[in-house]
């Protein structure tokens, strides 16, 4: 590759012209960005709505209007770097996902780079030199608050950029770590443009409705202090014991998880009769848990599952293969929790002990992507009937029911619940002296039926519109 002569700003070829059919919200967001004089712009749009397309359209306009401008995209994971580079290529933008400061100056024949927050934190000054003449896109910007050093590095690297566009799939707040380049009122992040799940459902053919079969159970366990405990999900417990109860339900030794996997596989099998490539995702707690779930799916359900965990260097390849296949199940630990596009996902099991609202909404986002030509695109995420998860699911279900039944709602009828971060409930898994032991876990009762309600007439209308389009 030809490299820039020292001290010379390259003249890059303009991105290839491409006709893009924008969704109305993307056009509104681009118009608002165009009239904004501020260096920072935060767009919050529900997963599956097309944030990547919005950002790349903005980048094409910015690079065309500013001679010598580069593009830097910061993504949460290495897998998403490849996904961003592939998406950019469809817009005529060449982004290098393998570039590092140790490789020398950026080649003159590329428009920019894709990196991760972790890579930025390792050498912010190297990125700073490139950022000084770049549009910076910060994907899922809340990750800059995952670690104080990450936030400081992101600020150091990109404070010199002439413009920054931040993206998020869910509203978020600062908690204890304010995130760089985000405006706050109190501790709540204030987006410059917001497009929620209810808005996308009301627009039609943007996202699919997600339903949450909530599974009760009765669990018995030995607490870390050695005391014997027993409770169902509908029993009132303090936060510590509630976390232990959830951990017991999700244990590989009990029957609760195996029974829920059987139910979820039956639901997915029914969906695959109409959509043969429909897939399912199980979100596991850790690497060993993921492998154990894959074993349960194999021996209890008779299906093989792909396993994708962050410690496996082949995880991105496994996800890509699953995406292009018609295999039924993938089991993942965070690898498929955010940003990864798998439109064929129609069923899932929430089998992780992470109970924050932000993580739950991001997980739900894996199931909402609309697929043209597929009728009745309902998706199902089976969840433990834990109080916190029930709350998050109810808020999403309320928005779903409201949107499907009242597609012409006014601005005064917005969902009153705003997405906020719950405190992460840390368990005592790392305590070597802990006496915690899961004893038994069984499913009780039937899946809550109220979560399946839907205005079938509205779905019929959406199906007809999709066939005509």
């Amino acid at each position: 590759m030809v490299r820039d002569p020292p001290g010379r700003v390259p003249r890059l070829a303009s991105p290839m012209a491409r006709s893009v059919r924008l969704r109305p919200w993307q056009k509104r967001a681009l118009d608002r960005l165009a009239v904004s004089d501020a260096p920072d712009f935060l767009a919050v749009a529900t997963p599956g709505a097309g944030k990547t397309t919005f950002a790349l359209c903005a980048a094409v306009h910015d690079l065309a209007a500013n001679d010598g401008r580069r593009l830097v995209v910061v993504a949460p994971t290495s897998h998403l770097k490849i996904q961003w580079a592939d998406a950019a290529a469809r817009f005529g933008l060449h982004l290098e996902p393998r570039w590092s400061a140790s490789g020398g100056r950026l080649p003159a024949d590329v428009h920019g780079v894709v990196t991760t927050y972790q890579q930025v934190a390792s050498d912010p000054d190297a990125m700073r030199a490139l950022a000084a003449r770049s549009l910076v896109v910060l994907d899922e910007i809340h990750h800059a608050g995952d670690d104080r050093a990450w936030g400081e590095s992101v600020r150091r690297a990109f404070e010199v950029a002439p413009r920054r566009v931040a993206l998020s799939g869910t509203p978020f707040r600062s908690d204890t770590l304010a995130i760089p380049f985000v405006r706050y009122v109190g501790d709540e992040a204030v987006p410059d443009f917001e497009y929620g799940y209810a808005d996308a459902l009301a627009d039609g053919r943007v996202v699919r409705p997600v339903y949450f079969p909530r599974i009760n159970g009765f669990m018995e366990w030995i607490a870390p202090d050695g005391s014997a405990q027993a409770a169902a999900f509908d029993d009132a417990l303090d936060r510590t014991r509630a976390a232990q109860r959830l951990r017991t339900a999700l244990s590989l030794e009990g029957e609760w998880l195996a029974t829920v996997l059987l139910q979820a596989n039956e639901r997915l099998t029914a969906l695959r009769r109409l959509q043969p490539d429909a897939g399912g995702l199980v979100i596991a707690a850790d690497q060993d848990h993921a492998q154990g779930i894959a074993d349960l799916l194999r021996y209890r359900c008779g299906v093989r599952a792909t396993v994708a965990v962050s410690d496996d260097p082949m995880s991105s390849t496994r996800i890509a293969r699953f995406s292009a296949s018609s295999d039924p199940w993938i089991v993942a630990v965070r690898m498929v929790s955010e940003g990864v596009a798998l439109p064929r996902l129609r069923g899932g099991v929430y089998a992780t002990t992470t109970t924050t609202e932000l993580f739950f909404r991001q997980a739900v986002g894996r199931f909402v992507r609309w697929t043209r030509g597929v009728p009745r695109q309902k998706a199902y995420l089976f969840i433990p009937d834990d109080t916190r998860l029930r709350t998050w699911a109810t808020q999403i279900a309320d928005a779903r029911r409201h949107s499907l039944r009242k597609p012409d709602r006014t601005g005064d009828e917005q969902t009153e619940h705003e997405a906020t971060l719950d405190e992460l409930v840390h368990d005592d898994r790392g305590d070597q002296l802990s006496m915690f032991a899961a004893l038994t876990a069984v499913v009780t009762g039937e899946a809550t039926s109220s979560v399946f309600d839907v205005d079938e007439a509205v779905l019929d209308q959406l199906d007809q519109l999709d066939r005509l389009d």
Side-chain angles (χ1 to χ4, degrees), residues 100-101 115-127 149-150 153-154 157:
S100 66
T115 185
T116 65
Y117 289 99
Q118 185 174 10
Q119 287 176 295
V120 172
S122 68
D123 193 351
D125 287 325
M127 294 304 304
W150 283 23
S153 297
V154 166

Side-chain angles (χ1 to χ4, degrees), residues 19-357:
S19 177
V20 179
R21 183 180 179 183
L22 294 176
R23 289 170 173 163
W25 83 262
Q26 294 166 331
K27 178 63 166 59
R28 295 195 302 271
L30 286 168
D31 289 345
R32 190 170 301 180
L33 175 63
V35 300
S36 173
D37 294 327
D40 294 298
F41 188 91
L42 171 60
V44 174
T46 188
K51 292 187 297 297
T52 301
T53 295
F54 157 72
L56 290 172
C57 283
V60 168
H61 286 292
D62 187 87
L63 269 62
N66 296 278
D67 190 29
R69 187 89 100 198
R70 298 290 188 121
L71 174 61
V72 175
V73 176
V74 187
T77 66
S78 295
H79 178 79
L80 290 178
K81 288 201 303 180
I82 304 301
Q83 192 165 293
W84 266 99
D86 289 344
R90 294 193 289 272
F91 283 77
L93 292 167
H94 181 184
L95 299 184
E96 177 52 65
R98 293 174 293 274
W99 178 82
S100 66
S102 61
R105 295 176 62 86
L106 186 65
D109 57 351
V110 301
H111 293 96
V113 303
V114 191
T115 185
T116 65
Y117 289 99
Q118 185 174 10
Q119 287 176 295
V120 172
S122 68
D123 193 351
D125 287 325
M127 294 304 304
R128 184 180 176 92
L130 179 59
R133 60 177 189 268
S134 298
L135 167 68
V136 177
V137 174
L138 299 160
D139 188 22
E140 304 297 353
I141 181 63
H142 51 267
H143 280 285
D146 286 352
D147 182 280
R148 185 176 299 277
W150 283 23
E152 293 172 351
S153 297
V154 166
R155 184 177 298 281
R156 171 66 183 170
F158 302 122
E159 63 185 356
V160 296
R163 186 144 222 195
R164 297 168 290 265
V165 175
L167 308 173
S168 180
T170 52
F172 57 90
R173 71 186 203 199
S174 65
D175 286 346
T176 57
L177 299 176
I179 296 168
F181 315 126
V182 172
R183 182 167 57 93
Y184 288 92
V185 174
D187 63 353
E188 298 291 336
V190 179
D192 298 285
F193 186 90
E194 187 169 6
Y195 184 70
Y197 180 59
D199 300 315
L201 278 173
D203 285 345
R205 294 177 294 165
V206 177
V207 295
R208 60 171 65 117
V210 181
Y211 298 81
F212 303 95
R214 304 195 310 267
I215 312 300
N216 204 343
F218 183 79
M219 280 62 67
E220 296 179 289
W221 69 96
I222 302 298
D225 62 3
S227 62
Q229 303 286 331
F233 276 124
D234 50 12
D235 291 330
L237 299 180
D238 59 40
R239 293 178 67 84
T240 298
R241 289 195 298 159
Q244 295 167 1
R245 175 180 59 192
L246 179 59
R247 182 177 165 188
T248 302
L250 299 177
S251 66
L252 298 170
E253 292 75 18
E255 285 298 312
W256 188 93
L257 182 56
T259 303
V260 173
L261 289 172
L262 278 167
Q263 293 183 16
N265 188 61
E266 289 174 0
R267 173 66 58 175
L268 181 62
T269 300
L271 292 170
R272 284 167 68 89
R273 294 190 187 107
L274 292 177
Q275 183 186 346
D277 71 338
L281 163 67
V282 184
I283 302 174
D286 55 40
Q287 182 169 334
D288 291 339
H289 194 231
Q291 188 57 59
I293 289 172
D295 292 340
L296 285 174
L297 285 168
R298 181 179 180 183
Y299 295 114
R300 295 293 191 95
C301 304
V303 295
R304 292 182 178 272
T306 299
V307 177
V309 295
S310 58
D311 293 341
D312 182 0
M314 293 296 293
S315 286
S316 292
T317 300
R318 296 180 195 278
I319 294 171
R321 287 175 180 170
F322 177 82
S323 177
S325 75
S326 60
D327 294 343
W329 285 98
I330 184 170
V331 185
V333 182
R334 294 187 179 270
M335 288 293 294
V336 190
S337 65
E338 185 176 61
V340 176
L342 294 172
R344 68 187 189 88
L345 288 181
R346 296 284 301 278
V349 177
Y350 194 88
T352 175
T353 53
T354 302
T355 57
T356 65
E357 182 179 8

